[in-house]
Amino acid sequence: MNKIFEIPLYPYARSADQDAPAPVRHKVVVVGAGPIGLGAAIDLAQQGVEVVILDDNDKVSFGSRAVCYAKRPLEILDRLGCGKRMVEKGVEWNVGKVFFDERLVYEFNLLPEDGHEFPAFINLQQYYFEEYMVDRVRELQAEGAPIEIRGRNKVAAVGVHDDHVAIEVDTPEGPYNLEADWLIACDGANSSIRAMLGLDFIGRVFEDNFLIADIIMEADFPTERWFWFDPPFNRGQSALLHKQPDNVWRIDFQLGWDIDREREKKPENVIPRLKAMLGEDAQFELEWVSIYTFQCRRMEKFRHGRVIFAGDSAHQVSPFGARGANSGLQDTDNLCWKLKLVIDGKATESLLDSYDFERIQGADENILNSTRSTDFITPKSEMSRLLRDAVLDLSEHYEFARPLVNSGRLSVPCIHDGSPLNSADALAGGPARSRPGAPCPDAPLGDEFLLPKLGGRFVLLTIDADAPDLIEEDGIEVTRLALSVKDDPTMALKERYLGEADSAVYLIRPDQIVAARRPSFDDNLIRAAIRRATGKE
Amino acid sequence: MAELILTPNIDNPDDFYAELLATHEGLDKAASDALNARLVLILANHIGDRQVLSQALAAAALKEED
């Protein structure tokens, strides 16, 4: 068996840094080559910021792990140059079925809105996800971008200084030292950087074990998410079936707390469980088996001077709702443009405080939602279970109970209401979904789409409004994108950006989040909004 | 005649459900049962309409398909 996750994709190679007489200083060091670390590094390299990724491993994710990727992260990944390949390989799905005991009680369709380039969700094994990102790193290197990935480079110690971070790295050929102006810690829920800095990571522990079995199976099951509460084949617990590419199926069994983890992981114990679920005659092969527990917790602050945490190292959620990798990519999307401005001297470090504000807001929303899903899926008291079962019984008969069924509230991006970078909403009648602090919704423009036109820079989006083609305010360049409602005959652009208004001017950040909007251009007010969006007011 | 509402009618259902669970938190089963009984009576009084209450009782018994 030669799976992609068994092949070293970035094997250890001696770096010139290891032979340098004094520690070499880099602009940014990213620790961890998972989806979030790779995302951060690619984003920075695309902006011309020199970046080195250090990873203690040399392979992509072992096993499928995070498999469910949502629209907003896919849009971000498109800007990073790998979203389309992921969608092509991934499995799209919209229908979910909820079973209680032996009965189908409820079926939902995500009913994705038309006029978006990317689907609501795809399923894709994390190893493919990371492989495509490593390929993108190689592509950037071939273009001469300043990005490097160092396998089997394990950070052994960090020293945080006012203007840099000193890093000691262990390699198969012994240790060496380097320095970074900035360190982004993307080293996962068990972050060693966080431990080295002695930072706390507080939250709620859930006393439950879940068994993941990825199986390769030729099966006629539809491409749907099937979720069972208290099924005959896993009495008193839950189960999930979800399709991935290459006929790999993710099966997830709740096991409860008092179990022998090593015993439960053995194929001779896993296979009977699978046969009870899929039928005695089901033909399948085990690809990967794992048992996990989880916590919902976050760091008090994500930025500690020159060290910035992103992804699971900063916040951890239960897997229900696909809010781990999906939110981590929104962390780096939020961070990288701000860091670029600070590195270029076009904004002060205080801009980075808004990363803390906005992404802690996002993390808290994700923790709240995934905690509630977990409370529904794994009731912690007799009454909690009674109420849960009552909701499920009622949902089979009455529509009203269905919104209460919670098998995971699927990841949607946070709207950063109250962010210090927002200017007050000045577009009377404008749609709530594109208010300041909201990520821009996509919209069709003939054969093209809106979001790729926004790209990763400051944009002044004008819809049936006049404005200068280029504004420069204190080093920040803002390029105009002039559109008209006539550019979209489906009227999605009007519905998503004008609402009741006749015209609009939107100031949009490089992470495609609305900073300000008003009915028409006003030089003073737009300049103030630019200053505010870059932490200068 | 008033009709029992059986379509979604609560804003932010997840917030409501979380508050309901929180109200029960820390209670033993007997205390939880008693709380539920009080809650039924309070909500019934708020509804008031006898026909709606009769429909609600039948709906809760899941009798419509028998």
Side-chain angles (χ1 to χ4, degrees):
Chain A
M1 189 162 79
N2 251 333
K3 296 278 182 189
I4 185 69
F5 53 87
E6 294 171 328
I7 305 163
L9 280 194
Y10 42 96
Y12 170 75
R14 191 169 183 86
S15 147
D17 287 3
Q18 287 164 264
D19 301 312
V24 174
R25 174 79 69 95
H26 295 278
K27 278 280 176 226
V28 178
V29 164
V30 171
V31 180
I36 314 310
L38 289 165
I42 291 169
D43 201 344
L44 291 167
Q46 285 191 168
Q47 299 184 60
V49 176
E50 190 254 336
V51 57
V52 175
I53 311 167
L54 305 176
D55 195 69
D56 58 2
N57 203 322
D58 56 5
K59 303 178 187 73
V60 293
S61 152
F62 188 82
S64 65
R65 297 175 68 190
V67 296
C68 208
Y69 297 93
K71 183 200 304 283
R72 183 62 201 145
L74 290 171
E75 292 165 351
I76 293 167
L77 289 157
D78 187 42
R79 193 169 56 72
L80 301 182
C82 26
K84 291 196 179 69
R85 189 174 172 201
M86 289 170 179
V87 173
E88 275 160 28
K89 178 71 182 179
V91 171
E92 280 179 44
W93 61 276
N94 290 307
V95 172
K97 285 184 177 152
V98 175
F99 299 86
F100 181 36
D101 193 355
E102 294 185 356
R103 295 164 292 144
L104 170 67
V105 292
Y106 161 55
E107 182 175 330
F108 64 83
N109 190 325
L110 297 173
L111 281 177
E113 189 180 55
D114 282 340
H116 291 256
E117 185 170 19
F118 285 89
F121 275 96
I122 62 161
N123 288 356
L124 182 70
Q125 293 90 325
Q126 187 173 332
Y127 49 77
Y128 282 130
F129 191 94
E130 292 181 10
E131 182 196 1
Y132 297 172
M133 292 183 98
V134 171
D135 286 349
R136 178 63 184 150
V137 170
R138 301 297 180 217
E139 199 176 281
L140 284 165
Q141 286 172 328
E143 293 165 10
I147 183 169
E148 204 187 317
I149 177 167
R150 296 184 187 170
R152 299 181 70 191
N153 271 240
K154 184 180 167 58
V155 175
V158 286
V160 185
H161 302 271
D162 283 348
D163 63 346
H164 76 282
V165 184
I167 306 164
E168 187 184 320
V169 183
D170 278 339
T171 75
E173 295 181 302
Y176 72 103
N177 292 290
L178 50 76
E179 293 177 353
D181 285 351
W182 298 91
L183 186 152
I184 308 179
C186 306
D187 53 346
N190 298 316
S191 170
S192 57
I193 303 291
R194 197 183 59 228
M196 285 171 203
L197 298 184
L199 298 167
D200 53 8
F201 197 40
I202 295 167
R204 193 171 146 196
V205 181
F206 290 84
E207 294 192 338
D208 224 318
N209 288 281
F210 289 80
L211 172 77
I212 291 181
D214 273 354
I215 60 171
I216 303 165
M217 168 173 72
E218 298 280 349
D220 297 331
F221 294 113
T223 306
E224 298 172 348
R225 177 187 195 262
W226 286 13
F227 196 97
W228 286 264
F229 292 99
D230 193 16
F233 58 83
N234 196 24
R235 209 32 105 184
Q237 312 282 7
S238 65
L240 172 77
L241 175 72
H242 221 171
K243 190 179 186 180
Q244 305 171 46
D246 306 341
N247 289 316
V248 175
W249 296 78
R250 159 68 61 88
I251 296 172
D252 203 308
F253 292 101
Q254 183 192 356
L255 297 181
W257 187 233
D258 289 315
I259 59 156
D260 180 340
R261 297 174 60 143
E262 286 315 306
R263 191 179 159 274
E264 292 291 347
K265 257 200 292 203
K266 289 186 178 148
E268 65 258 38
N269 293 314
V270 174
I271 287 167
R273 280 186 183 281
L274 291 165
K275 289 199 162 170
M277 176 179 184
L278 301 166
E280 267 311 305
D281 303 327
Q283 296 292 314
F284 56 82
E285 183 193 324
L286 283 178
E287 175 171 272
W288 178 60
V289 175
S290 171
I291 289 183
Y292 66 91
T293 59
F294 56 78
Q295 305 193 19
C296 287
R297 52 183 178 170
R298 72 160 166 86
M299 296 179 74
E300 197 186 334
K301 286 187 335 174
F302 296 172
R303 178 183 167 224
H304 293 266
R306 295 263 164 166
V307 179
I308 302 167
F309 292 83
D312 281 1
S313 69
H315 45 75
Q316 193 184 5
V317 295
S318 85
F320 306 116
R323 288 165 182 272
N326 283 312
S327 71
L329 286 162
Q330 291 167 70
D331 289 348
T332 57
D333 193 44
N334 189 292
L335 173 64
C336 288
W337 68 270
K338 296 174 180 173
L339 194 55
K340 161 82 175 161
L341 289 181
V342 171
I343 287 171
D344 288 351
K346 292 180 176 175
T348 62
E349 282 187 32
S350 66
L351 177 59
L352 299 174
D353 294 339
S354 70
Y355 168 73
D356 251 354
F357 178 96
E358 294 179 340
R359 293 318 299 164
I360 284 174
Q361 189 179 32
D364 285 348
E365 191 175 297
N366 287 322
I367 288 170
L368 181 72
N369 277 295
S370 85
T371 299
R372 286 175 175 180
S373 300
T374 308
D375 283 339
F376 194 88
I377 291 164
T378 66
K380 294 298 177 287
S381 71
E382 207 178 336
M383 183 52 65
S384 182
R385 177 173 295 271
L386 264 172
L387 287 167
R388 196 276 307 269
D389 290 354
V391 166
L392 290 169
D393 275 330
L394 289 166
S395 71
E396 187 182 0
H397 300 271
Y398 306 117
E399 196 191 330
F400 88 90
R402 289 168 199 162
L404 295 167
V405 175
N406 192 343
S407 67
R409 297 281 179 245
L410 299 171
S411 174
V412 289
C414 178
I415 294 185
H416 300 299
D417 288 319
S419 165
L421 305 191
N422 296 351
S423 295
D425 190 358
L427 184 67
R433 64 190 290 183
S434 51
R435 65 186 182 270
C440 287
D442 205 358
L445 297 171
D447 295 336
E448 297 178 291
F449 288 90
L450 173 64
L451 294 186
K453 291 181 183 295
L454 297 176
R457 63 214 162 118
F458 271 101
V459 169
L460 195 69
L461 168 65
T462 60
I463 303 174
D464 295 319
D466 280 330
D469 288 332
L470 185 70
I471 303 167
E472 204 203 307
E473 173 62 26
D474 195 16
I476 309 294
E477 283 195 355
V478 182
T479 321
R480 180 186 181 199
L481 175 63
L483 297 178
S484 162
V485 288
K486 296 191 199 88
D487 294 330
D488 172 27
T490 71
M491 299 307 272
L493 183 69
K494 178 175 173 15
E495 182 211 324
R496 293 168 200 173
Y497 287 90
L498 289 187
E500 305 298 314
D502 294 324
S503 64
V505 173
Y506 278 78
L507 177 65
I508 295 166
R509 302 172 4 183
D511 53 3
Q512 301 178 345
I513 286 176
V514 175
R517 65 176 185 180
R518 29 179 306 103
S520 59
F521 180 74
D522 177 300
D523 194 59
N524 281 334
L525 291 175
I526 291 295
R527 286 181 187 279
I530 296 168
R531 288 196 300 277
R532 194 168 172 82
T534 48
K536 295 170 185 167
E537 296 224 335
Chain B
M1 188 183 96
E3 274 286 323
L4 178 69
I5 298 167
L6 286 169
T7 49
N9 193 37
I10 302 173
D11 280 344
N12 295 317
D14 284 350
D15 285 350
F16 160 70
Y17 195 77
E19 195 177 341
L20 177 61
L21 292 190
T23 309
H24 282 280
E25 208 165 278
L27 301 184
D28 64 20
K29 180 64 168 50
S32 252
D33 284 343
L35 187 145
N36 275 345
R38 293 192 296 271
L39 183 61
V40 167
L41 296 170
I42 288 166
L43 295 177
N45 179 63
H46 181 83
I47 293 162
D49 189 310
R50 280 290 288 111
Q51 282 177 329
V52 173
L53 288 170
S54 294
Q55 291 169 47
L57 292 169
L62 299 178
K63 276 187 176 155
E64 42 133 38
E65 284 166 357
D66 292 346

